[in-house]
Amino acid sequence: MAHRERSCAQTTSVPVERRRDIRVVVNLPGRYVLPRRRAVDGKPPAFACRLVNASPHGLMVAASVVGAVGEPVAAQFEEFGRLDGVILRRLYGGFAMSIEVTGERLAQLEAKLVWLDRLQRKAVANERRHDRMVPRTPQSIVVLADGTTLPCRIIDMSASGAAVTAALTPPLGMPLAVGAVVGRVVRRFAGGFAVEFVETQEIATLERLLIRSPVRARAMSAMPPPEDGGEIVIIDA
């Protein structure tokens, strides 16, 4: 009898350990705030970001504004909701942060990560009709009607449009081009805006048309070097 009880305990402990150790490579758009900072209106400014990988204990985030090590950060993702923590490491193009979740919230996060892991291994069918993708190199340019170009970061893209973050927040309906693809602004959100393409694009050539790199170096040079020796964020590991 004691032997049976030990066997059961060993069997049930494996999934729990796997959940707590799992780290999933993801490409999910989101936004974050650094609560200690304030904009002109007195509220913390929101920035667009992209979740690179996640575990039950921490996240790696691609972002243009990087806080100090130990600074509180609150990140919001559609798949996970709001996740609070502190910045653990500064990276080129982003940061690593802890996650402060316990109890039922932690169990829900672990279950979601397991599901995403299975989805990536094609064990779960993804029923979304129009999948959004994240480009391998998200830095590009926005071209305005008068020919002005601005550096931007593409949060995600699909055959019909793209979500973009840039220093400019254009008005709804404004025509512009993201890289070489012409469209118009159809939605604005905290930290960016959505562009609907004039023509539906072929997925096979979409990234090549969207990505334009002449201002990439200027956009990245404004970021101070990381404090931990220069780690590189690899988006598609």
Side-chain angles (χ1 to χ4, degrees):
M1 185 69 176
H3 177 70
R4 270 184 76 184
E5 290 177 355
R6 282 197 300 270
S7 298
C8 292
Q10 290 172 358
T11 308
T12 55
S13 66
V14 172
V16 174
E17 290 174 0
R18 180 179 177 275
R19 285 187 171 199
R20 293 187 180 278
D21 291 340
I22 192 170
R23 177 170 289 276
V24 183
V25 176
V26 291
N27 282 307
L28 299 176
R31 59 180 181 174
Y32 67 102
V33 297
L34 301 169
R36 290 180 181 173
R37 308 191 182 195
R38 292 291 183 270
V40 177
D41 60 2
K43 299 179 180 179
F47 306 101
C49 65
R50 182 155 50 100
L51 182 58
V52 178
N53 63 49
S55 79
H57 309 292
L59 309 175
M60 182 178 289
V61 179
S64 56
V65 178
V66 182
V69 173
E71 184 172 356
V73 57
Q76 180 86 25
F77 302 97
E78 182 179 353
E79 299 283 356
F80 303 111
R82 173 169 170 154
L83 297 170
D84 294 285
V86 299
I87 294 177
L88 299 176
R89 287 178 294 154
R90 291 165 54 91
L91 310 170
Y92 281 122
F95 56 86
M97 63 174 283
S98 65
I99 302 176
E100 299 172 357
V101 289
T102 57
E104 183 179 352
R105 183 79 171 86
L106 176 59
Q108 291 173 347
L109 176 60
E110 290 170 346
K112 175 65 76 171
L113 289 172
V114 170
W115 183 86
L116 285 172
D117 185 50
R118 291 178 59 203
L119 178 62
Q120 290 181 354
R121 298 172 188 273
K122 302 189 184 300
V124 176
N126 188 348
E127 297 179 353
R128 290 182 181 175
R129 293 183 59 193
H130 303 290
D131 285 343
R132 289 188 172 273
M133 304 172 297
V134 177
R136 293 181 179 85
T137 306
Q139 287 78 22
S140 187
I141 58 172
V142 170
V143 185
L144 305 183
D146 63 359
T148 301
T149 61
L150 296 170
C152 72
R153 176 184 289 268
I154 298 175
I155 301 171
D156 59 38
M157 61 187 186
S158 71
S160 59
V164 178
T165 179
L168 172 74
T169 305
L172 295 177
M174 180 177 181
L176 48 75
V178 182
V181 184
V182 178
R184 63 185 183 88
V185 178
V186 293
R187 185 167 58 91
R188 298 194 298 180
F189 52 87
F193 54 94
V195 176
E196 182 181 48
F197 302 146
V198 172
E199 297 180 352
T200 302
Q201 303 295 310
E202 293 290 337
I203 293 297
T205 58
L206 178 58
E207 185 168 348
R208 178 172 57 82
L209 293 173
L210 281 181
I211 301 302
R212 290 292 182 269
S213 60
V215 295
R216 187 189 310 167
R218 189 196 329 162
M220 295 298 292
S221 65
M223 181 183 300
E227 298 174 353
D228 57 359
E231 182 173 347
I232 303 298
V233 173
I234 302 176
I235 300 303
D236 294 310

